[in-house]
Amino acid sequence: MNLSAELVNFAYIISAALFVLGLKMLGHPDSARRGNLYSAVGMALAIIVTLLADSIVSFEVIALATLGGTVVGALAARLVAMTSMPEMVALFNGSGGAASLLVGWAALYDEILGTSAPSTFILITIILSILIGGVTASGSLIAYGKLSERMTTAAIVFAGQRIVNSLILVGIVGSSVMFCLEPTLGSQWFWVLLALSLVLGVMAVIPIGGADMPVVISLLNSYSGLAACAAGFAIGNNLLIVAGSLVGASGIILTNIMCKAMNRSLANVLFSGFGAAKAATKVEGEVKPIVADDAFLILEAAQSVTFVPGYGMAVAQAQHVVRELGELLEKNGAEVNFAIHPVAGRMPGHMNVLLAEANVSYEQLVEMDDINPRLPNTDVVVVIGANDVVNPAAREDENSPIYGMPIINVDHARTVFVLKRSMGSGFSGVDNPLFFKENTRMLFGDAKQSISALVAEFKS
Amino acid sequence: MEAVFLSFILMLSIFLGFELISKVPATLHTPLMSGANAISGITVLGALVAAGANNSEMATWLGGASVFFAVINVVGGYMVTDRMLAMFRKKPTGGAA
């Protein structure tokens, strides 16, 4: 059965509608799962009609690659732990980038071997698809390395970094121009361009570290969409452009939300190398440790308890015991909720997913702007593995690298418990004056064990 | 003319994307990201044509590799998003997952 181009494009319209509808339904937790299904149906439809189109004549390579990709993708999606979601998404992003790069490359062969000489417009779109795809692929690999802590999570900055980056950009523009002037398959400019794209991706991500990772992962998400967009221009496919730009827009919006949540501009995040510049005012004072027995007595008397989770909760795998403690507190008559900072964890919404996994109802998850006015009337705040997002230095210390960042004002609550392994500084290496406040009590030890101890006290 | 036509589509879809996504609540940002990521696997269409059109041997192999990566993105992205969204519940149902 060979479908005409009109029919294929008509089916593409339906696919595009399903993507739009799917994204719209992702706007509410009740409809989100169905929305994702609609979007998947749209994708399946697009793939099927493309396979039936008369331009495809041989299927061996396709069958093999599809089988391989399905097995890898399905296994990865099945086996990944919810705590490792950020690095998984980074890898999927990179995979999409690599696909766009290869489509652009393959389109080059078709164009140059084709009957008429390729137009400059087509060449530029092919170059863009290779460039954005390459940056996404190699950048995502670095992001994966950082998120999974297979390489240093800190920002890597060196003298002359900007000069090197500028030279890379000049090199990319230069080799693109040279290639457009004389587009041949053996052109060395093509290889220069390909190599520089991959290097640029690496260089773009290494100076970003620490708490800035949610920005990077959102931005790479956006790039993977833009890469698909560019590939759509290169091969003249409407659906690639529509779907790619939807994803591109989504990534940009998330990036913007993340930047706002850290009170920093995108340029600042991308180029400054977090925390490298100013030295914060040294915080000194005495911390007041507390043992689980005493913490239990305070919690038992509390009318309202707010949990503030951070990446440390994910590391300690404490989300299930936290949910259990929350339920026990509710049974004890307290009002329990979870305050979630937009950049808590290492990707947007990371904490929400972990708590959802632990069966916490999404109605109990409160955003930063909604919880802050309620905190002065909250009896106990329990900070679990969060640091920067509750650091009052962001309000008080103008020299702090995080000064100006909106935070959850946990120090306004009557009592704050901070669960912490030891007295080191957080992921971004910033000192936290919260630990020395009058109403702060430190509960040292592994977060999961500390919470379990509290749960045991409630049960006995 | 085709360049203008395609750019028109690009402009409209970007605005549509902004409208759609800015309404998604923070709770759903991770599934939004992985779901959007799966959609970016739409490149698979270009990859399929490159791999199956028999234009040149090199294009077939590049296309094949591209199909592989794009399918990982599509299958993995949709499945992992579904797995996450299945966990979002209204009332706690009791018992650890």
Side-chain angles (χ1 to χ4, degrees), chain B residues 1-22:
Chain B
M1 197 53 209
E2 183 167 337
V4 177
F5 169 66
L6 293 177
S7 307
F8 224 105
I9 294 180
L10 174 72
M11 188 268 294
L12 289 175
S13 331
I14 288 179
F15 275 101
L16 178 63
F18 275 114
E19 281 304 312
L20 282 176
I21 309 296
S22 44

Side-chain angles (χ1 to χ4, degrees), chain B residues 31-49:
Chain B
L32 166 70
M33 189 175 265
S34 66
N37 193 233
I39 295 180
S40 77
I42 191 72
T43 320
V44 71
L45 304 188
L48 289 172
V49 174

Side-chain angles (χ1 to χ4, degrees), chain A residues 229-268:
Chain A
C229 230
F233 272 97
I235 60 171
N237 185 317
N238 293 336
L239 189 55
L240 260 70
I241 297 178
V242 173
S245 45
L246 290 176
V247 178
S250 135
I252 297 266
I253 288 181
L254 290 176
T255 308
N256 192 25
I257 294 174
M258 295 299 113
C259 284
K260 265 197 194 138
M262 297 195 298
N263 189 39
R264 297 171 63 202
S265 70
L266 183 58
N268 184 269

Side-chain angles (χ1 to χ4, degrees), chain A residues 108 263 302 336 422 425 427 438:
Chain A
L108 198 60
N263 189 39
V336 177
S422 62
S425 48
F427 190 51
E438 199 50 43

Side-chain angles (χ1 to χ4, degrees), chain A residues 84-407:
Chain A
S84 312
M85 201 48 79
E87 49 262 43
M88 185 82 259
V89 172
L91 277 187
F92 283 155
N93 272 336
S95 183
S100 296
L101 184 160
L102 291 164
V103 166
W105 194 350
L108 198 60
Y109 274 82
D110 294 349
E111 287 297 329
I112 292 178
L113 296 177
T115 43
S116 58
S119 73
T120 311
F121 175 75
I122 291 288
L123 283 174
I124 290 174
T125 58
I126 288 177
I127 288 172
L128 276 178
S129 149
I130 292 172
L131 174 65
I132 307 176
V135 168
T136 313
S138 63
S140 297
L141 271 182
I142 300 291
Y144 168 77
K146 286 190 176 226
L147 289 164
S148 60
E149 295 182 9
R150 272 164 223 269
M151 57 182 286
T152 171
T153 55
I156 300 174
V157 233
F158 55 85
Q161 196 159 17
R162 284 181 196 196
I163 299 172
V164 173
N165 287 344
S166 313
L167 286 177
I168 293 175
L169 282 177
V170 170
I172 285 174
V173 174
S175 50
S176 305
V177 171
M178 294 308 289
F179 181 71
C180 283
L181 290 178
E182 206 179 332
T184 58
L185 286 178
S187 169
Q188 70 267 37
W189 295 112
F190 171 78
W191 296 105
V192 173
L193 177 71
L194 182 64
L196 284 180
S197 311
L198 295 173
V199 173
L200 181 66
V202 174
M203 295 299 288
V205 177
I206 55 167
I208 306 172
D212 289 344
M213 287 318 282
V215 180
V216 181
I217 193 163
S218 314
L219 199 62
L220 287 169
N221 191 232
S222 175
Y223 287 169
S224 75
L226 295 179
C229 230
F233 272 97
I235 60 171
N237 185 317
N238 293 336
L239 189 55
L240 260 70
I241 297 178
V242 173
S245 45
L246 290 176
V247 178
S250 135
I252 297 266
I253 288 181
L254 290 176
T255 308
N256 192 25
I257 294 174
M258 295 299 113
C259 284
K260 265 197 194 138
M262 297 195 298
N263 189 39
R264 297 171 63 202
S265 70
L266 183 58
N268 184 269
V269 172
L270 292 184
F271 304 118
S272 72
F274 183 81
K278 286 191 256 180
T281 312
K282 197 78 195 135
V283 231
E284 279 173 356
E286 206 178 333
V287 297
K288 290 170 281 295
I290 189 171
V291 291
D293 290 349
D294 299 336
F296 163 70
L297 292 176
I298 299 177
L299 279 175
E300 200 189 18
Q303 291 300 305
S304 49
V305 179
T306 297
F307 291 94
V308 181
Y311 188 67
M313 182 182 80
V315 175
Q317 293 281 350
Q319 62 271 34
H320 296 284
V321 280
V322 169
R323 190 257 316 157
E324 204 179 347
L325 179 61
E327 279 174 4
L328 289 167
L329 285 165
E330 276 189 327
K331 258 186 222 153
N332 194 38
E335 189 199 333
V336 177
N337 49 38
F338 296 80
I340 303 192
H341 192 280
V343 293
R346 292 189 187 171
M347 73 183 289
H350 190 191
M351 289 302 119
N352 306 69
V353 169
L354 286 182
L355 290 170
E357 186 200 12
N359 261 336
V360 172
S361 133
Y362 62 81
E363 287 154 327
Q364 275 180 299
L365 310 179
V366 190
E367 289 181 33
M368 172 174 66
D369 294 337
D370 298 324
I371 196 75
N372 271 340
R374 282 150 65 178
L375 282 174
N377 296 317
T378 301
D379 290 333
V380 183
V381 168
V382 185
V383 179
I384 308 161
N387 189 354
D388 298 334
V389 298
V390 294
N391 189 342
R395 283 198 321 263
E396 296 158 359
D397 179 8
E398 284 186 40
N399 291 323
S400 171
I402 60 166
Y403 180 71
M405 164 173 158
I407 57 160

